[in-house]
Amino acid sequence: MQVHRIVGHIQNIYLAQYPDKLLLLDGLCRADVAVVEAYVREQLAMRPQDIKAVVVTHMHPDHAGGAALLRRRYGCQILTWQHRHAWYRGAWGLGRYLCDMVLAYFVARRQGKRWKNLFYSPYLKADGHLDDGQPIPGFEDWQALHTPGHTDRDLSVYHLQSRAIYVADSIIRVKDKLVAPFPVHYPARYRQSLTRLMQLEVKEFLLAHGEGGALSRAQLSELIINSPERPSSYYRLAKQMLRRQFSA
C-alpha cells in the first residue's frame, strides 16, 4: 500500500494505492475530480474505475464536494459517519452551507486560484456508514475513528500497520504553527478528539491543510490548550464583527 498526496484546489488529497484498487481518504472539492482522474491515469497508470471507495470525513465543500460526481462516473462507494440528520438540514442548514461555500471561495482566492465551480448537493446519500473503530470495507487495514469538534460527524482514517492517520480538518498547519479549524462547533468534543489523537501511536499525520508529518505530544498539547473554549461559529463571528463595527 502506498499513499499519494495530490495538491487539490484548496486542500491536500490523499489516495491510497493497492495493486488492483484505490481508496480516496476524503471526498474532495468538485473541481478536484478532474485532477484525481488525471493523476490516476498519468501517474499511477490505473483507471479511475479502480477507485473503489471514497470516505467523506465531513460535509464541507473540500471534503464532500466531489464524492457524488465520482460515484456517478465510476461507481465507487461513498462511506461516511452515520448520523440521524443531514448536516445542512433546514433553513439554518442552508445558511450554513452558503457560508461554507463563501469560505471555500475565499480560501481559493487567498491562494491565488482561478474561479472554479465548487457547488455540490448539501445532501449526501451514502452507500455505507462507518462506526467508530470500524475497518473500511474492502480496505480493512484502514480504520475509521470518530473525531468530532469541527462538526458533529468528523472522521479520521487510521492505517494500523504504518501508524499514519488522515485527520481531515481536525488539525491545520499554518506555516509552522498548528491551529484549530474554523469553525469549531463543539469545543469540548474537539479537545477530547485531540486528546484521543495524542494518545494514539501515530508516526505520520496526514493533514488536509498544511504540511503533515510527525507531531509531538508537546505540539498537540499546545493545540489543545489554545483551542477555542466557545463555539467559533459563523453566527458568533458575525456578532463579533457587528459589535466591533458599532463600537468603533
Side-chain angles (χ1 to χ4, degrees):
M1 190 279 298
Q2 182 178 1
V3 176
H4 301 271
R5 187 178 77 161
I6 307 168
V7 178
H9 189 59
I10 59 173
Q11 84 293 342
N12 297 318
I13 301 165
Y14 295 93
L15 182 66
Q17 180 187 13
Y18 296 77
D20 60 345
K21 59 185 179 181
L22 300 164
L23 169 67
L24 267 170
L25 301 188
D26 218 340
L28 321 173
C29 284
R30 179 189 177 108
D32 292 322
V33 170
V35 174
V36 170
E37 290 171 335
Y39 190 92
V40 169
R41 291 190 180 104
E42 298 168 10
Q43 302 299 321
L44 305 184
M46 297 179 73
R47 305 173 306 154
Q49 290 87 342
D50 293 323
I51 302 173
K52 300 303 181 183
V54 179
V55 177
V56 171
T57 61
H58 60 291
M59 281 300 298
H60 286 162
D62 49 338
H63 300 271
L69 181 56
L70 281 168
R71 177 175 58 190
R72 187 160 64 247
R73 290 183 178 178
Y74 306 114
C76 53
Q77 284 199 322
I78 296 176
L79 306 171
T80 192
W81 176 254
Q82 185 168 5
H83 210 283
R84 65 181 181 271
H85 56 72
W87 177 246
Y88 292 121
R89 71 192 186 280
W92 279 104
L94 176 60
R96 184 185 286 170
Y97 171 76
L98 294 175
C99 287
D100 289 338
M101 291 301 305
V102 169
L103 180 60
Y105 277 110
F106 174 78
V107 172
R109 184 172 180 179
R110 288 288 299 269
Q111 294 181 2
K113 300 296 179 65
R114 296 176 59 185
W115 187 93
K116 292 188 177 182
N117 181 14
L118 304 183
F119 281 89
Y120 65 109
S121 172
Y123 303 108
L124 180 71
K125 183 178 180 180
D127 300 292
H129 293 98
L130 299 168
D131 293 324
D132 185 50
Q134 179 181 342
I136 305 297
F139 300 88
E140 282 73 15
D141 47 334
W142 291 91
Q143 182 184 58
L145 300 178
H146 187 213
T147 50
H150 180 41
T151 72
D152 61 355
R153 62 201 67 204
D154 301 89
L155 286 176
S156 296
V157 193
Y158 186 38
H159 191 253
L160 303 176
Q161 283 75 27
S162 66
R163 301 291 183 181
I165 188 167
Y166 172 65
V167 296
D169 282 355
S170 291
I171 300 173
I172 293 174
R173 190 194 293 271
V174 178
K175 297 181 179 178
D176 290 329
K177 185 176 178 60
L178 300 183
V179 298
F182 179 85
V184 174
H185 289 281
Y186 305 95
R189 297 170 74 181
Y190 178 66
R191 289 191 292 274
Q192 290 170 0
S193 295
L194 290 178
T195 300
R196 182 183 189 185
L197 292 174
M198 186 169 63
Q199 292 169 347
L200 293 174
E201 296 180 8
V202 176
K203 290 185 178 179
E204 183 179 14
F205 285 84
L206 308 176
L207 307 186
H209 302 280
E211 291 294 325
L215 300 179
S216 68
R217 291 179 64 87
Q219 287 176 296
L220 294 172
S221 295
E222 183 180 5
L223 177 57
I224 293 171
I225 292 170
N226 294 329
S227 66
E229 296 182 359
R230 301 180 65 188
S232 55
S233 64
Y234 293 112
Y235 174 70
R236 289 186 180 277
L237 176 63
K239 283 182 64 176
Q240 291 172 1
M241 292 176 66
L242 288 172
R243 189 178 300 117
R244 290 171 186 168
Q245 179 68 26
F246 287 107
S247 63

